[in-house]
Amino acid sequence: MLAEFDLIRRYFVSSQEASSASNGVTLGCGDDATLLVPRAGQQLAVSVDTSVVDVHFPSDAPAFAVGHRALAVALSDLAAMGASSRWCLMALTLDQRQFSDEDAAHAWLAEYARGFHTLRQQHATALVGGDVTSGALSIGVTVMGDVPVGEALTRSGAQPGDLIAVTGELGGGAGGLALWQKGERDLANPLLRRYLLPEPRLAAGVALRGLATAAMDISDGLLADLKHLREASQVGAVITLGALPLAETLESLLGREMALKAALSGGDDYELLVTLNADSLAEAQQRLAPLGLTLTVIGHCREAMGVNASDQSDLSGYAGWQHFSGDTP
């Protein structure tokens, strides 16, 4: 295995990109800290996300997918704020026992870096620093972006009467995990791709600025994340189960009841959950159409706290993912 700094230089540092002042980086990788220049009139949005082996991704997941996914789930938080991504930091912890074979270690690192850098470049995000150490395989990614002053989307702006809507489809992440656990390994499968290669909705977040009254991404399950939004906004919600946009082939894979459970509490969808005034719906849908994304109304906000299904179905069994609960993913 290469020494720490040789590994960083080989797989993660592009000196030409990191030193380019055109992307706001005046001092990039290789020093004790990076120096960045935010754009005038913008607020800096910063988020950090940790991915741990056998918690957030399987130990035998393709290295390309591990790299892609680690960055994607962090970028999803910027999308939820309506921010454009600019920079990222990455802390990679490698298990020396897993990578005791040097050739296998380099093959894994090359694919991991390819997955990470491919997505990073798609979203014009410069890698400006980080760390590499030994221990249980995990990846910590800090992302930084900007959003015009006063235009950030937050969780706290929903009002009674606002519509509740989601981008794209739901349940694909949980469906993909179920397929992986059954032995499916073909990444051409759309459900498996939704789980291992999620796409952060950065362009959608930007498009919804000025229209969404509140927003967040769906990582722990629709109802769990809706609870965070409801509590921040101090509103209740009514959900129409029949309106949920289920991922393609999800129902045929799991059956209707389990497909609904995957959509409501499965997590790992990384779509955007938004509230908006009914008068803004058509424009919001028009803005997302060029991105190839749908915006589906799944309910509405109300004054009374709590959440109910419009058909009075029992929602109490749909808790969503919580760390430290004793559950396994």
Side-chain angles (χ1 to χ4, degrees), residues 34-54:
T34 185
L35 298 177
L36 308 172
V37 181
R39 287 188 281 237
Q42 304 280 315
Q43 290 178 298
L44 190 63
V46 181
S47 182
V48 63
D49 212 290
T50 303
S51 296
V52 179
V53 65
D54 288 329

Side-chain angles (χ1 to χ4, degrees), residues 163 211 276-284:
L163 301 178
L211 296 179
L276 68 168
N277 187 280
D279 293 340
S280 301
L281 176 62
E283 183 177 352

Side-chain angles (χ1 to χ4, degrees), residues 61-69 108 111-112 114-116 118 187 197:
F64 179 92
V66 176
H68 172 107
R69 196 177 192 284
W108 191 93
E111 279 299 285
Y112 170 88
R114 187 170 71 88
F116 190 93
T118 298
L187 288 183
L197 297 169

